Amino acid sequence: MDTKRRKELIENYKNRRPEMGVISYRCKETDEEFLGISKDTKSDFNSTNLKLSANLHPNKRLQELWNKYGEEGFELTIAKELKYEDPLEDHTEELEELRELCLAANPKARKIWR
């Protein structure tokens, strides 16, 4: 790959606008919901699914349900999407506020990650 093309790809990656928001894993059988903040929802769904499939997820209850019901036993959604302007800005605080709103709306919901 030539240097010009490599620089172009790096620049495109830096300026991409990934979907950010609150991701939700809801067990269809028990109706338990687990919420996490995400700066790249597609990437975080893939990462979390991989950890769950490998039986390596730190959330023991989520892992237990995944082991029992499998991926097909869960509904994966974006509970709230964050609208933002600058992809380079840190949006962690805004994402945490969105998650708190989702937790308040469903008192039985829990955080995916502590």
Side-chain angles (χ1 to χ4, degrees), residues 30-97:
T30 66
D31 204 35
E32 291 175 72
E33 185 176 18
F34 300 86
L35 302 170
I37 63 171
S38 176
K39 294 180 181 180
D40 185 339
T41 58
K42 183 177 178 181
S43 174
D44 285 333
F45 276 129
N46 288 338
S47 173
T48 301
N49 289 358
L50 181 65
K51 289 175 189 171
L52 288 165
S53 296
N55 201 29
L56 296 172
H57 199 278
N59 186 311
K60 299 302 179 200
R61 180 61 182 158
L62 176 57
Q63 184 68 65
E64 179 183 300
L65 292 169
W66 188 273
N67 291 347
K68 185 171 184 177
Y69 301 110
E71 184 173 356
E72 60 280 349
F74 280 82
E75 181 180 272
L76 282 56
T77 60
I78 299 168
K80 291 272 187 196
E81 186 178 343
L82 177 69
K83 304 293 184 200
Y84 64 96
E85 293 298 320
D86 184 1
L88 301 177
E89 187 179 318
D90 183 10
H91 297 283
T92 304
E93 191 174 308
E94 295 161 273
L95 290 166
E96 287 175 350
E97 288 173 10

